[in-house]
Amino acid sequence: MSAKKKILFTSLGLLTSGAAAGAYLLDKSVLASELTLHPPNIPFFHKGLTHTFDHASLRRGFEVYKQVCAACHSLEYMAFRELVNVTHTEKEMKAIAAEYEIQDGPNQNGEMFMRPGRLSDKFPSPYPNDEAAKVANNGALPPDLSYVVLGRHGQEDYVYALLLGYTEPPAGFKLQEGLYYNPYFTGQAIGMGQALYDGTIEYEDGTPATASQMAKDVCTFLRFTSEIKHDERKSMVIKSLIIGTLGTIMLFLVFKRYEMSLKTRKLFLRPKS
């Protein structure tokens, strides 16, 4: 390589490295200016490469959502039937769905009417419309929780840290009326007050309902609502790896046998008589 080309490639390398370093530092400065605390890595069971959801935790997480979160947050992209044989049996889920009043119609008279929920229905919103939700929450619209885990940086780790991250603001931090201090929320001032306290609900399976246990269970449940095919996806990946590994071994053995037959083959040249 000529001296000119060496100088050119060296200059390009230095410029690329400098640009990458500048972008990294700029990104860090932006995050620092937001004063947002990044959530720690929480060892949820389903994070394991071969681990599926803990269904006992999913059932408890549904209890937390139903008794605490559902008062403000909707789950409008989730149908009751999608929890059958996941958190509850079909009979249990039919009974839970029937507790909800679902608007249907029009009937023969052209009027809308209310009826008990069915397995095919989606979870109804706690508010009739977005404006009513804002009025009830000091102008803030509570987000729908169907895909909230996938829509947040840190995913279930962020939601877990947020639920347990309420604390007193530091000295000099001005907090507007109606807001609460949470270092994991962007801007650190959040309109949702702390919802989970030790003993807020009672689990039907007798598990102690500490704040951390409820946060862990509801985050597991919300991970499921965000990724219903989670277990099936992992199962397919594992099956593909097993089949691929076995196939590779078989191909290697076949190739080895064929190659050995070629290497050990002897050729004899017979002169013409």
Side-chain angles (χ1 to χ4, degrees):
M1 185 181 293
S2 64
K4 290 184 178 180
K5 287 185 177 181
K6 287 183 178 180
I7 294 173
L8 176 62
F9 285 122
T10 302
S11 301
L12 288 175
L14 291 174
L15 287 174
T16 304
S17 301
Y24 176 79
L25 293 174
L26 180 61
D27 178 66
K28 288 297 182 182
S29 66
V30 170
L31 292 176
S33 66
E34 292 177 352
L35 297 176
T36 303
L37 186 62
H38 291 275
N41 183 28
I42 309 299
F44 286 97
F45 178 78
H46 58 267
K47 283 185 176 182
L49 181 62
T50 60
H51 292 172
T52 56
F53 281 117
D54 178 355
H55 285 257
S57 182
L58 286 176
R59 185 179 178 111
R60 292 193 299 268
F62 174 74
E63 291 182 54
V64 177
Y65 168 76
K66 187 172 181 289
Q67 297 186 48
V68 181
C69 308
C72 299
H73 296 276
S74 59
L75 204 65
E76 61 179 332
Y77 297 105
M78 190 75 181
F80 293 103
R81 59 180 170 78
E82 291 171 319
L83 296 180
V84 173
N85 297 327
V86 175
T87 61
H88 298 76
T89 64
E90 182 176 351
K91 183 178 180 180
E92 289 174 329
M93 210 64 225
K94 282 183 177 179
I96 292 173
E99 296 175 2
Y100 291 83
E101 290 290 321
I102 306 296
Q103 188 179 51
D104 203 349
N107 57 17
Q108 295 178 348
N109 299 322
E111 299 174 345
M112 303 299 289
F113 60 94
M114 304 300 291
R115 59 164 176 79
R118 304 167 185 159
L119 289 180
S120 57
D121 293 321
K122 301 293 181 68
F123 281 84
S125 173
Y127 305 104
N129 51 63
D130 290 350
E131 293 304 318
K134 291 178 181 179
V135 170
N137 292 277
N138 297 321
L141 179 64
D144 180 80
L145 299 184
S146 303
Y147 299 101
V148 68
V149 166
L150 294 183
R152 297 294 187 273
H153 174 69
Q155 301 188 351
E156 57 263 55
D157 291 345
Y158 167 79
V159 180
Y160 180 90
L162 183 74
L163 290 173
L164 300 179
Y166 290 89
T167 184
E168 292 296 323
F173 187 91
K174 294 182 179 179
L175 199 62
Q176 296 181 4
E177 185 179 355
L179 298 180
Y180 304 87
Y181 181 78
N182 193 313
Y184 294 101
F185 188 74
T186 302
Q188 301 182 323
I190 185 173
M192 181 183 77
Q194 184 172 352
L196 301 181
Y197 297 90
D198 292 346
T200 298
I201 67 172
E202 291 186 9
Y203 282 132
E204 60 181 18
D205 64 358
T207 300
T210 61
S212 59
Q213 181 67 53
M214 288 185 288
K216 175 250 182 184
D217 291 333
V218 76
C219 287
T220 302
F221 174 72
L222 293 178
R223 177 70 191 194
F224 171 78
T225 64
S226 297
E227 194 177 5
I228 296 176
K229 302 295 183 180
H230 174 275
D231 288 359
E232 295 180 24
R233 175 178 57 81
K234 282 191 175 180
S235 176
M236 288 300 297
V237 169
I238 294 171
K239 289 177 182 178
S240 299
L241 289 174
I242 293 174
I243 294 173
T245 302
L246 292 176
T248 302
I249 294 173
M250 291 178 65
L251 287 173
F252 174 77
L253 293 175
V254 171
F255 175 76
K256 194 69 176 176
R257 182 175 180 182
Y258 178 72
E259 184 185 24
M260 288 300 294
S261 66
L262 291 177
K263 285 185 176 182
T264 57
R265 183 178 297 176
K266 294 182 179 180
L267 299 177
F268 297 93
L269 299 177
R270 295 181 180 177
K272 293 182 179 181
S273 56

